[in-house]
Amino acid sequence: MIDRHGQRSPDTILGAQYSLPFSVALALCTNISDPSIFCEENLWDSDIRKIAQTIQLESDDAFIDKNKDLKAIIQINANQYSGDLEARDWMGSPKKPYSYEQMSKKFLAYASPYLSNSKMDELISTVAYLENVTDMSFVGDMIRGKF
């Protein structure tokens, strides 16, 4: 996990999205609920990159039990403050999967800069009945905004 997600100085937006240290630094410096924060400006922001360098990752198999109960513990040491934050069963985890409605809302947030409301609604409706789609290239065209 650390090898794949531990890059502290990503040089692409995709690399930044896979980087746990960069994502933590980005969350500390921006509004993490805004999907547009993974952008060139933030990728090269000196404050975010400096904080990402200070993030340490450790992997401990003891945090995964037999039931695939995943958890993450974030230890924060800053100035006079020291504390732990535990994340368990976050949205999208195996024990707390997104509902179709929740995933649709997330899609709308991410797709709104690229697709019109009517195209997003049509794509959401198409995916709701995906088993009825006979030509998946149509769905690919929809995702690319070519419909």
Side-chain angles (χ1 to χ4, degrees):
M1 191 234 12
I2 292 175
D3 291 342
R4 184 174 194 167
H5 301 288
Q7 170 69 305
R8 286 184 176 77
S9 299
D11 55 7
T12 65
I13 293 173
L14 182 61
Q17 291 171 330
Y18 274 91
S19 166
L20 288 172
F22 189 87
S23 294
V24 168
L26 191 61
L28 292 170
C29 295
T30 65
N31 176 2
I32 196 68
S33 67
D34 178 1
S36 69
I37 63 169
F38 283 99
C39 63
E40 288 291 328
E41 180 182 350
N42 287 336
L43 176 64
W44 301 109
D45 182 277
S46 61
D47 290 335
I48 294 170
R49 293 181 82 78
K50 183 178 177 182
I51 293 170
Q53 294 302 313
T54 69
I55 306 295
Q56 297 177 17
L57 300 178
E58 295 179 13
S59 180
D60 187 343
D61 291 336
F63 288 125
I64 302 175
D65 72 15
K66 296 174 187 147
N67 298 316
K68 301 289 185 204
D69 186 18
L70 304 174
K71 71 178 175 179
I73 298 176
I74 301 169
Q75 296 176 331
I76 301 170
N77 296 304
N79 295 331
Q80 303 295 324
Y81 176 80
S82 180
D84 292 351
L85 172 66
E86 183 176 307
R88 178 186 298 268
D89 296 333
W90 49 85
M91 284 305 303
S93 71
K95 290 194 174 186
K96 197 172 181 182
Y98 281 102
S99 69
Y100 190 78
E101 181 180 330
Q102 291 166 324
M103 200 71 231
S104 295
K105 278 180 90 172
K106 188 170 185 175
F107 169 75
L108 291 171
Y110 280 84
S112 62
Y114 309 103
L115 298 173
S116 68
N117 287 342
S118 62
K119 288 187 177 189
M120 289 187 296
D121 290 342
E122 185 177 349
L123 184 52
I124 288 170
S125 295
T126 299
V127 170
Y129 299 99
L130 201 55
E131 65 275 3
N132 298 328
V133 175
T134 57
D135 183 0
M136 288 303 292
S137 67
F138 173 70
V139 176
D141 287 344
M142 292 179 81
I143 291 169
R144 289 187 295 279
K146 297 180 179 181
F147 65 104

